[in-house]
Amino acid sequence: MRRIITFIRLPFSVQKIYFKALLLLPICQCSVQLIPFKYLLHIFKLRPSKRELLKSPTDSESAYAQTVAWVISKSPPLPQAIQPRCFAQALTARILLHQNHQECLLSIGAAIEGNGLLAHAWLRSGSIIVTGRNGQDNYREIVSYL
């Protein structure tokens, strides 16, 4: 009940972002699980980039990016099979930021742990890390996409 009251008190613009994220997160997670990576690049129009973002976000763009970050972090738990992980969260945030005509950079990194290789994805808009902030420093960036 507390979550519902908190949600109702949010501005309509934030509620709208929340509902979009709520729809996109499971779709992106299912896409990541079912579609080969090379096709995901084409579907989500991800272009490799070896450069940092040239444009710093304006104050309103920064506020929007922070709202998207907050909304994705507060998304309700979903069934384990479609619980969005870092790459799906980054794709969802990218879609929301692109709808707002904002540049963002989706990065994929790797780290060695024990005998295995771990991967992590995060999304940045300017200097703001929108998704994947937790643990992002432990991974070495391998590739970035615009």
Side-chain angles (χ1 to χ4, degrees), residues 2-12 14-15 70:
R2 188 178 197 180
R3 282 185 174 185
I4 294 171
I5 292 170
T6 303
F7 177 78
I8 290 171
R9 290 183 180 163
L10 292 173
F12 179 71
V14 176
Q15 289 177 355
W70 181 81

Side-chain angles (χ1 to χ4, degrees), residues 10-121:
L10 292 173
F12 179 71
S13 60
V14 176
Q15 289 177 355
K16 191 172 154 184
I17 295 168
Y18 187 85
F19 276 120
K20 285 180 182 180
L22 196 61
L23 291 172
L24 288 170
L25 282 166
I27 291 170
C28 288
Q29 182 60 38
C30 289
S31 298
V32 168
Q33 290 175 330
L34 298 174
I35 301 172
F37 186 74
K38 67 180 181 178
Y39 297 118
L40 284 175
L41 295 177
H42 179 70
I43 291 168
F44 289 97
K45 298 178 182 170
L46 295 170
R47 300 179 321 267
S49 172
K50 291 190 179 191
R51 65 173 176 85
E52 292 294 319
L53 294 177
L54 297 176
K55 180 183 157 202
S56 293
T58 64
D59 290 341
S60 64
E61 289 174 338
S62 292
Y64 186 82
Q66 290 172 341
T67 301
V68 169
W70 181 81
V71 163
I72 289 178
S73 72
K74 297 297 180 188
S75 64
L78 295 169
Q80 185 64 30
I82 58 170
Q83 182 63 38
R85 291 172 187 75
C86 59
F87 190 51
Q89 290 173 349
L91 287 174
T92 299
R94 183 179 181 278
I95 291 168
L96 293 172
L97 291 175
H98 275 245
Q99 286 180 343
N100 198 45
H101 308 290
Q102 285 184 238
E103 271 191 336
C104 54
L105 193 66
L106 190 154
S107 300
I108 298 175
I112 298 173
E113 184 175 292
N115 292 334
L117 188 65
L118 299 176
H120 183 58

